[in-house]
Amino acid sequence: MSAYGHEMDREYSAQSILAGEGSETGSRYNSGAGIYMSSIAATVFISGLVTIGISVLSLLVALTVMLNSCQSRSSGVLEMYRNTDNYDYCRNFALHSELNSLNTEFFPAICKDINIRYVKDGQYKRDLNITVAIAEDFFSSIRPKNNGQDVVLMDADDFFTSETMYAKQLMYRKNKDGLHGTNEEANYFRLVFALKLYLKLQFGQWHLILLSRKPEKMRNNTVEYLKSVGCHGWSSLIMRMDSETQIDNEEYLSRERKRVEREGFRIKGVISSQMDALRGPCLGDRIFKLPYPIFRSSSKSGD
């Protein structure tokens, strides 16, 4: 081959090599600093950056939620301690009020709010249930003698609401729409648990004597009301004479208990939500104080 032919072959080979290099660099990225990256590697790299960004963002969100949760929990614990202190104070003040027959005007203002929570949050209902269970256990552990002289005294006024004598309307409203007033709810629960205990004692063949602060002139309405709520079959219903309405409740109830014992009955227990029925002589073997809402008014005579 001539020298000219060899020279042409070399030029053709060089062009082929250059053409091959040019086609390869067409699928690479030049960073300008001499670093080359294929399209697949670039995609993987960018995806990794996005994943890391999302992970960091998620971590920041999680930390923010945790910090807010801890702050809310700390606030809740602090508020719980505050509420517990207020609740304990009002409960003790309520006991002081009952022992001294104080009216609502002596109650601190904060106790009014505590009283609403006491009823609305269900604690009053739980306290009633516990007290009734204790009384049921006691009377289930003993038996009345066959001569009918063993009796249990119950406060008839615990079956009443303070606003009305028509308990069926109260029960209907409870079942239909619910009771929205704190006093209404408290009266309803007290009625339900007092009646539950009454029926339990009656089933245990205890002779029941009901004492009411109401005057004798209201006997017919009182009897009708008690029967309407399922309270019937009592041995006696004691009501004060119309001329005795000005007598102090505690004095009146003490006198009636004395009279019961003078007639030969043995008082095995006295049950009431009010302190005036649980003080004085002739209280029998055991007394049971049904819970009452923290904030309430007290009266010196019958309704």
Side-chain angles (χ1 to χ4, degrees), residues 86-226:
N86 293 337
Y87 175 80
D88 291 340
Y89 172 77
C90 291
R91 287 294 290 166
N92 281 279
F93 195 94
L95 178 59
H96 170 75
S97 173
E98 284 193 300
L99 292 174
N100 294 277
S101 300
L102 299 181
N103 293 319
T104 56
E105 62 190 45
F106 293 96
F107 268 75
I110 192 173
C111 292
K112 297 180 181 180
D113 296 331
I114 294 292
N115 183 66
I116 293 174
R117 292 211 316 271
Y118 176 61
V119 176
K120 292 290 186 182
D121 293 349
Q123 186 59 51
Y124 177 54
K125 184 179 178 181
R126 289 189 289 271
D127 288 347
L128 279 167
N129 187 51
I130 291 172
T131 304
V132 168
I134 292 173
E136 289 178 348
D137 289 343
F138 171 74
F139 288 109
S140 295
S141 66
I142 58 177
R143 292 289 183 269
K145 294 184 178 179
N146 295 329
N147 58 9
Q149 297 301 106
D150 290 343
V151 297
V152 177
L153 274 56
M154 291 192 71
D155 193 332
D157 297 337
D158 282 331
F159 299 100
F160 292 85
T161 67
S162 59
E163 295 86 1
T164 176
M165 292 179 65
Y166 297 102
K168 283 189 174 180
Q169 294 181 4
L170 189 67
M171 291 181 177
Y172 174 77
R173 290 177 56 196
K174 172 67 176 177
N175 295 331
K176 184 177 183 295
D177 303 318
L179 300 176
H180 304 292
T182 303
N183 289 335
E184 286 187 333
E185 281 197 65
N187 292 334
Y188 174 79
F189 290 138
R190 189 177 70 254
L191 166 63
V192 168
F193 282 95
L195 183 60
K196 177 178 181 290
L197 181 55
Y198 176 90
L199 296 176
K200 182 77 172 182
L201 294 172
Q202 194 174 59
F203 182 77
Q205 299 181 343
W206 286 97
H207 291 269
L208 301 171
I209 295 179
L210 304 182
L211 291 92
S212 175
R213 299 163 189 78
K214 300 183 183 300
E216 183 66 30
K217 64 183 179 182
M218 296 182 64
R219 176 173 290 274
N220 291 338
N221 290 337
T222 301
V223 170
E224 180 181 354
Y225 170 85
L226 290 172

